[in-house]
Amino acid sequence: MFALMTVNELYRSFLADLEQVYERPEAAHINSMIFESITGITRQGLIKDPNQKIDAEKISLLKDALSQLKLHKPVQYVTGEAWFYKMRLKVSSSVLIPRPETEELTEAIIAYLRDRPAAAILDIGTGSGCIAIAIKKNIPGVHVTAIDVSNEALAIAKENAAQQETSIDLMQLDFLDEKNWASIPSFDVIASNPPYIPEREKALLDKNVSAFEPHLALFVENNSPLIFYEKIAAFGKTHLKESGKIFLETHERFAEETAALFNDGHYSAEIKKDLHGKQRMVIATHRYR
Protein backbone atom coordinates (compact mmCIF):
# COMPACT_ATOMS: atom_id res chain seq x y z
CA MET A 1 0.00 0.00 0.00
CA PHE A 2 2.74 2.45 0.97
CA ALA A 3 4.46 2.02 -2.41
CA LEU A 4 1.40 3.41 -4.17
CA MET A 5 1.22 6.52 -2.00
CA THR A 6 2.51 9.96 -2.90
CA VAL A 7 4.94 11.61 -0.49
CA ASN A 8 2.12 13.78 0.83
CA GLU A 9 -0.07 10.75 1.51
CA LEU A 10 2.84 8.98 3.21
CA TYR A 11 3.58 12.03 5.32
CA ARG A 12 -0.03 12.30 6.48
CA SER A 13 -0.27 8.56 7.18
CA PHE A 14 2.88 8.59 9.29
CA LEU A 15 1.77 11.74 11.10
CA ALA A 16 -1.51 10.09 12.06
CA ASP A 17 0.43 7.14 13.52
CA LEU A 18 2.77 9.43 15.47
CA GLU A 19 -0.17 11.37 16.90
CA GLN A 20 -1.16 8.20 18.73
CA VAL A 21 1.99 8.62 20.81
CA TYR A 22 2.89 12.34 20.70
CA GLU A 23 0.97 15.61 20.86
CA ARG A 24 0.28 17.01 17.39
CA PRO A 25 2.94 19.79 17.35
CA GLU A 26 5.66 17.39 18.50
CA ALA A 27 4.44 14.66 16.15
CA ALA A 28 4.58 17.08 13.20
CA HIS A 29 8.09 18.21 14.14
CA ILE A 30 9.33 14.63 14.48
CA ASN A 31 7.66 13.60 11.24
CA SER A 32 9.34 16.42 9.32
CA MET A 33 12.74 15.52 10.80
CA ILE A 34 12.36 11.86 9.84
CA PHE A 35 11.18 12.56 6.30
CA GLU A 36 13.99 15.04 5.66
CA SER A 37 16.64 12.73 7.16
CA ILE A 38 15.56 9.63 5.22
CA THR A 39 14.19 11.03 1.94
CA GLY A 40 15.92 14.42 1.75
CA ILE A 41 12.51 16.04 1.28
CA THR A 42 11.97 19.12 3.46
CA ARG A 43 8.58 20.42 4.57
CA GLN A 44 8.90 23.10 1.89
CA GLY A 45 9.72 20.45 -0.71
CA LEU A 46 6.67 18.49 0.31
CA ILE A 47 4.45 21.53 -0.18
CA LYS A 48 6.08 22.35 -3.51
CA ASP A 49 5.72 18.83 -4.96
CA PRO A 50 3.24 16.75 -2.89
CA ASN A 51 2.73 14.11 -5.58
CA GLN A 52 6.31 12.88 -5.93
CA LYS A 53 7.00 9.20 -5.27
CA ILE A 54 9.46 7.63 -2.82
CA ASP A 55 11.37 4.47 -3.68
CA ALA A 56 10.72 1.22 -1.83
CA GLU A 57 14.02 1.26 0.10
CA LYS A 58 13.28 4.65 1.65
CA ILE A 59 9.72 3.63 2.45
CA SER A 60 11.14 0.63 4.32
CA LEU A 61 13.46 2.92 6.27
CA LEU A 62 10.56 5.23 7.10
CA LYS A 63 8.48 2.31 8.36
CA ASP A 64 11.37 1.11 10.54
CA ALA A 65 11.83 4.62 11.94
CA LEU A 66 8.12 4.89 12.68
CA SER A 67 8.22 1.62 14.64
CA GLN A 68 11.08 2.95 16.78
CA LEU A 69 9.43 6.31 17.34
CA LYS A 70 6.21 4.66 18.51
CA LEU A 71 8.31 3.02 21.26
CA HIS A 72 9.32 6.55 22.38
CA LYS A 73 12.87 6.28 21.04
CA PRO A 74 14.17 9.86 20.62
CA VAL A 75 14.11 11.02 17.03
CA GLN A 76 17.78 12.03 17.29
CA TYR A 77 18.74 8.41 18.02
CA VAL A 78 16.56 7.21 15.17
CA THR A 79 18.23 9.57 12.68
CA GLY A 80 21.64 9.28 14.36
CA GLU A 81 22.14 13.03 14.42
CA ALA A 82 21.35 16.13 16.45
CA TRP A 83 21.84 19.84 15.91
CA PHE A 84 23.94 21.79 18.40
CA TYR A 85 25.29 25.31 18.04
CA LYS A 86 24.65 25.29 14.27
CA MET A 87 26.45 21.96 13.90
CA ARG A 88 25.00 18.62 12.79
CA LEU A 89 26.52 16.09 15.18
CA LYS A 90 26.42 12.32 15.28
CA VAL A 91 24.68 10.85 18.33
CA SER A 92 23.98 7.34 19.54
CA SER A 93 22.65 5.74 22.71
CA SER A 94 26.20 6.04 24.09
CA VAL A 95 25.90 9.83 24.44
CA LEU A 96 23.33 12.32 25.67
CA ILE A 97 21.31 14.25 23.14
CA PRO A 98 22.57 17.87 23.35
CA ARG A 99 20.04 20.20 25.01
CA PRO A 100 19.28 23.91 24.48
CA GLU A 101 20.48 24.74 28.01
CA THR A 102 23.85 23.20 27.13
CA GLU A 103 23.98 25.55 24.14
CA GLU A 104 23.43 28.45 26.54
CA LEU A 105 26.33 27.26 28.70
CA THR A 106 28.50 26.94 25.59
CA GLU A 107 27.54 30.42 24.45
CA ALA A 108 28.66 31.83 27.82
CA ILE A 109 32.02 30.04 27.50
CA ILE A 110 32.59 31.23 23.95
CA ALA A 111 31.70 34.81 24.89
CA TYR A 112 34.26 34.67 27.71
CA LEU A 113 36.95 33.23 25.43
CA ARG A 114 36.63 35.82 22.67
CA ASP A 115 39.13 37.96 24.56
CA ARG A 116 41.27 34.92 25.43
CA PRO A 117 41.86 33.24 22.04
CA ALA A 118 44.84 31.17 23.19
CA ALA A 119 43.33 29.74 26.39
CA ALA A 120 43.49 26.09 27.46
CA ILE A 121 40.11 24.46 28.13
CA LEU A 122 39.11 21.19 29.77
CA ASP A 123 35.70 19.64 29.06
CA ILE A 124 34.81 17.07 31.73
CA GLY A 125 32.37 14.37 30.59
CA THR A 126 32.41 15.41 26.95
CA GLY A 127 29.91 12.83 25.61
CA SER A 128 29.28 13.68 21.95
CA GLY A 129 31.95 16.38 22.20
CA CYS A 130 29.35 19.08 21.60
CA ILE A 131 30.73 21.67 24.05
CA ALA A 132 34.39 21.05 23.22
CA ILE A 133 33.87 21.06 19.46
CA ALA A 134 31.69 24.19 19.49
CA ILE A 135 34.33 26.05 21.50
CA LYS A 136 37.17 25.00 19.17
CA LYS A 137 35.13 25.72 16.03
CA ASN A 138 34.28 29.25 17.19
CA ILE A 139 37.60 30.12 18.89
CA PRO A 140 40.12 28.21 16.75
CA GLY A 141 43.21 29.36 18.69
CA VAL A 142 42.24 27.72 21.96
CA HIS A 143 43.54 24.33 23.05
CA VAL A 144 40.73 21.99 24.07
CA THR A 145 41.07 18.76 26.03
CA ALA A 146 37.96 16.62 26.41
CA ILE A 147 37.69 13.67 28.78
CA ASP A 148 35.10 10.97 29.35
CA VAL A 149 34.95 7.66 31.17
CA SER A 150 33.18 6.03 28.20
CA ASN A 151 35.23 4.82 25.24
CA GLU A 152 32.03 4.58 23.21
CA ALA A 153 31.28 8.25 23.85
CA LEU A 154 34.84 9.24 22.93
CA ALA A 155 34.52 7.39 19.63
CA ILE A 156 31.45 9.49 18.81
CA ALA A 157 33.25 12.69 19.89
CA LYS A 158 36.21 11.77 17.67
CA GLU A 159 33.91 11.34 14.66
CA ASN A 160 32.18 14.63 15.36
CA ALA A 161 35.45 16.52 15.75
CA ALA A 162 36.67 15.15 12.41
CA GLN A 163 33.37 15.96 10.70
CA GLN A 164 33.54 19.55 12.00
CA GLU A 165 37.22 19.81 11.04
CA THR A 166 38.28 20.64 14.57
CA SER A 167 41.25 19.33 16.51
CA ILE A 168 40.66 18.50 20.17
CA ASP A 169 42.56 16.21 22.52
CA LEU A 170 40.43 13.29 23.71
CA MET A 171 41.24 11.29 26.84
CA GLN A 172 39.57 8.23 28.35
CA LEU A 173 39.63 8.87 32.08
CA ASP A 174 37.52 8.31 35.19
CA PHE A 175 37.44 11.83 36.60
CA LEU A 176 35.98 10.75 39.94
CA ASP A 177 39.15 8.78 40.67
CA GLU A 178 41.51 11.45 42.01
CA LYS A 179 44.54 9.27 41.23
CA ASN A 180 43.96 10.14 37.57
CA TRP A 181 44.30 13.88 38.10
CA ALA A 182 48.10 13.80 37.98
CA SER A 183 47.90 13.02 34.25
CA ILE A 184 45.91 16.19 33.54
CA PRO A 185 47.64 19.61 33.13
CA SER A 186 46.35 23.03 34.23
CA PHE A 187 43.72 25.04 32.38
CA ASP A 188 42.33 28.54 31.99
CA VAL A 189 38.75 27.25 31.73
CA ILE A 190 37.02 24.10 32.96
CA ALA A 191 33.61 23.25 31.50
CA SER A 192 31.28 20.42 32.43
CA ASN A 193 27.75 19.16 32.01
CA PRO A 194 28.16 16.23 34.40
CA PRO A 195 25.63 13.65 35.60
CA TYR A 196 23.42 15.38 38.18
CA ILE A 197 20.01 13.67 38.33
CA PRO A 198 19.49 11.62 41.54
CA GLU A 199 18.46 8.02 40.90
CA ARG A 200 15.18 8.61 42.75
CA GLU A 201 14.08 11.03 40.00
CA LYS A 202 14.35 8.40 37.26
CA ALA A 203 10.63 7.65 37.43
CA LEU A 204 9.82 11.33 36.91
CA LEU A 205 11.58 11.55 33.56
CA ASP A 206 9.95 11.10 30.18
CA LYS A 207 10.23 7.56 28.85
CA ASN A 208 12.27 8.71 25.85
CA VAL A 209 14.95 9.89 28.32
CA SER A 210 14.94 7.20 31.00
CA ALA A 211 14.58 4.28 28.58
CA PHE A 212 17.07 5.34 25.91
CA GLU A 213 19.66 7.89 27.04
CA PRO A 214 22.81 6.61 28.79
CA HIS A 215 22.28 6.35 32.54
CA LEU A 216 26.01 6.76 33.11
CA ALA A 217 25.72 10.33 31.79
CA LEU A 218 22.45 11.14 33.55
CA PHE A 219 22.27 9.78 37.07
CA VAL A 220 24.12 10.03 40.36
CA GLU A 221 23.49 8.25 43.64
CA ASN A 222 20.74 9.69 45.82
CA ASN A 223 23.08 10.26 48.77
CA SER A 224 25.69 12.17 46.74
CA PRO A 225 23.93 14.25 44.04
CA LEU A 226 26.75 16.82 44.00
CA ILE A 227 29.62 14.33 43.71
CA PHE A 228 30.88 15.63 40.36
CA TYR A 229 30.74 19.27 41.48
CA GLU A 230 32.60 18.43 44.69
CA LYS A 231 35.33 16.73 42.66
CA ILE A 232 35.50 19.57 40.12
CA ALA A 233 35.85 22.12 42.95
CA ALA A 234 38.71 20.11 44.47
CA PHE A 235 40.36 19.55 41.09
CA GLY A 236 40.19 23.23 40.18
CA LYS A 237 42.14 24.25 43.26
CA THR A 238 45.25 22.63 41.77
CA HIS A 239 44.47 22.56 38.04
CA LEU A 240 42.81 25.91 37.32
CA LYS A 241 45.09 28.82 36.56
CA GLU A 242 44.91 32.10 38.45
CA SER A 243 41.62 33.91 37.75
CA GLY A 244 40.52 30.95 35.63
CA LYS A 245 36.83 30.10 35.37
CA ILE A 246 34.67 27.03 35.76
CA PHE A 247 31.43 26.81 33.74
CA LEU A 248 28.92 24.23 34.93
CA GLU A 249 25.47 23.05 33.94
CA THR A 250 23.45 22.11 37.02
CA HIS A 251 20.22 20.61 38.22
CA GLU A 252 17.84 23.52 38.78
CA ARG A 253 17.07 22.28 42.31
CA PHE A 254 20.75 22.10 43.27
CA ALA A 255 22.10 25.32 41.77
CA GLU A 256 22.27 27.08 45.14
CA GLU A 257 24.05 24.13 46.76
CA THR A 258 26.43 23.85 43.81
CA ALA A 259 27.32 27.53 43.99
CA ALA A 260 27.89 27.19 47.75
CA LEU A 261 30.56 24.54 47.06
CA PHE A 262 32.55 27.16 45.16
CA ASN A 263 31.96 30.11 47.50
CA ASP A 264 34.52 28.77 49.95
CA GLY A 265 37.31 31.33 49.72
CA HIS A 266 39.02 29.55 46.83
CA TYR A 267 36.38 30.67 44.33
CA SER A 268 33.65 33.20 43.86
CA ALA A 269 30.57 31.76 42.19
CA GLU A 270 27.44 33.09 40.53
CA ILE A 271 24.27 31.41 39.33
CA LYS A 272 22.92 32.09 35.85
CA LYS A 273 19.37 31.38 34.69
CA ASP A 274 18.52 29.84 31.35
CA LEU A 275 16.06 31.32 28.86
CA HIS A 276 13.19 29.73 30.80
CA GLY A 277 14.23 31.45 34.03
CA LYS A 278 15.56 28.26 35.63
CA GLN A 279 18.81 28.25 37.61
CA ARG A 280 20.82 25.97 35.37
CA MET A 281 24.37 27.34 35.29
CA VAL A 282 27.04 28.06 37.88
CA ILE A 283 30.13 30.06 36.92
CA ALA A 284 33.01 30.09 39.39
CA THR A 285 36.19 32.18 39.29
CA HIS A 286 39.38 30.90 40.91
CA ARG A 287 40.79 33.19 43.58
CA TYR A 288 44.39 32.48 44.53
CA ARG A 289 45.28 33.40 48.08
Side-chain angles (χ1 to χ4, degrees):
M1 179 184 71
F2 285 120
L4 301 176
M5 287 183 175
T6 65
V7 65
N8 185 54
E9 291 169 334
L10 271 172
Y11 184 92
R12 292 184 180 279
S13 174
F14 277 56
L15 179 59
D17 279 340
L18 288 174
E19 285 179 339
Q20 297 175 22
V21 181
Y22 304 94
E23 295 294 329
R24 183 175 178 82
E26 185 177 9
H29 178 64
I30 290 172
N31 207 31
S32 294
M33 289 178 66
I34 286 293
F35 265 76
E36 182 172 355
S37 175
I38 292 176
T39 70
I41 301 172
T42 64
R43 189 78 181 96
Q44 293 73 23
L46 178 65
I47 295 170
K48 185 177 179 180
D49 186 6
N51 295 317
Q52 58 188 300
K53 299 290 185 179
I54 300 177
D55 64 55
E57 181 181 357
K58 289 178 180 176
I59 291 175
S60 178
L61 291 172
L62 285 168
K63 290 170 65 178
D64 181 60
L66 179 64
S67 297
Q68 296 180 65
L69 291 165
K70 290 174 73 172
L71 295 174
H72 295 272
K73 187 171 185 177
V75 63
Q76 293 90 345
Y77 289 156
V78 176
T79 64
E81 60 188 29
W83 283 94
F84 182 85
Y85 217 83
K86 300 179 181 178
M87 302 181 298
R88 190 194 300 265
L89 300 179
K90 178 178 179 178
V91 293
S92 75
S93 57
S94 298
V95 300
L96 290 181
I97 298 166
R99 303 305 205 269
E101 51 267 31
T102 308
E103 283 195 328
E104 293 183 50
L105 179 73
T106 303
E107 174 60 36
I109 299 169
I110 290 172
Y112 174 74
L113 290 172
R114 293 200 190 281
D115 295 328
R116 300 162 181 83
I121 296 95
L122 175 65
D123 178 24
I124 299 171
T126 196
S128 65
C130 60
I131 294 175
I133 295 167
I135 291 171
K136 182 66 175 179
K137 195 173 182 71
N138 285 271
I139 314 288
V142 299
H143 183 272
V144 182
T145 300
I147 62 175
D148 204 290
V149 69
S150 167
N151 278 316
E152 292 81 7
L154 289 171
I156 296 291
K158 183 178 181 180
E159 285 190 52
N160 284 329
Q163 180 64 34
Q164 297 299 321
E165 299 180 340
T166 57
S167 177
I168 60 176
D169 290 340
L170 295 165
M171 295 175 60
Q172 192 280 325
L173 185 141
D174 180 1
F175 181 76
L176 294 182
D177 185 348
E178 296 184 17
K179 295 192 297 292
N180 292 324
W181 294 359
S183 64
I184 311 174
S186 296
F187 298 89
D188 300 288
V189 169
I190 295 171
S192 186
N193 174 23
Y196 55 68
I197 302 174
E199 287 277 354
R200 61 176 170 268
E201 294 186 12
K202 189 180 298 183
L204 303 177
L205 298 178
D206 290 339
K207 184 179 178 181
N208 62 348
V209 175
S210 61
F212 293 98
E213 299 208 47
H215 288 195
L216 183 66
L218 286 171
F219 299 109
V220 287
E221 294 181 6
N222 292 327
N223 60 357
S224 54
L226 302 182
I227 181 65
F228 276 91
Y229 304 103
E230 292 166 357
K231 294 286 187 176
I232 291 170
F235 174 82
K237 291 173 184 177
T238 55
H239 288 74
L240 189 63
K241 296 178 183 178
E242 186 171 0
S243 299
K245 285 188 180 290
I246 299 176
F247 292 81
L248 303 166
E249 185 173 324
T250 64
H251 192 305
E252 61 181 292
R253 290 201 298 107
F254 298 130
E256 298 282 354
E257 294 175 58
T258 302
L261 286 174
F262 291 87
N263 281 320
D264 63 350
H266 292 276
Y267 306 92
S268 60
E270 59 178 328
I271 297 171
K272 294 287 189 181
K273 294 181 179 180
D274 64 15
L275 291 176
H276 300 289
K278 296 179 179 181
Q279 297 185 142
R280 296 301 306 275
M281 291 170 276
V282 170
I283 302 174
T285 304
H286 199 186
R287 296 165 56 182
Y288 273 69
R289 294 182 173 181

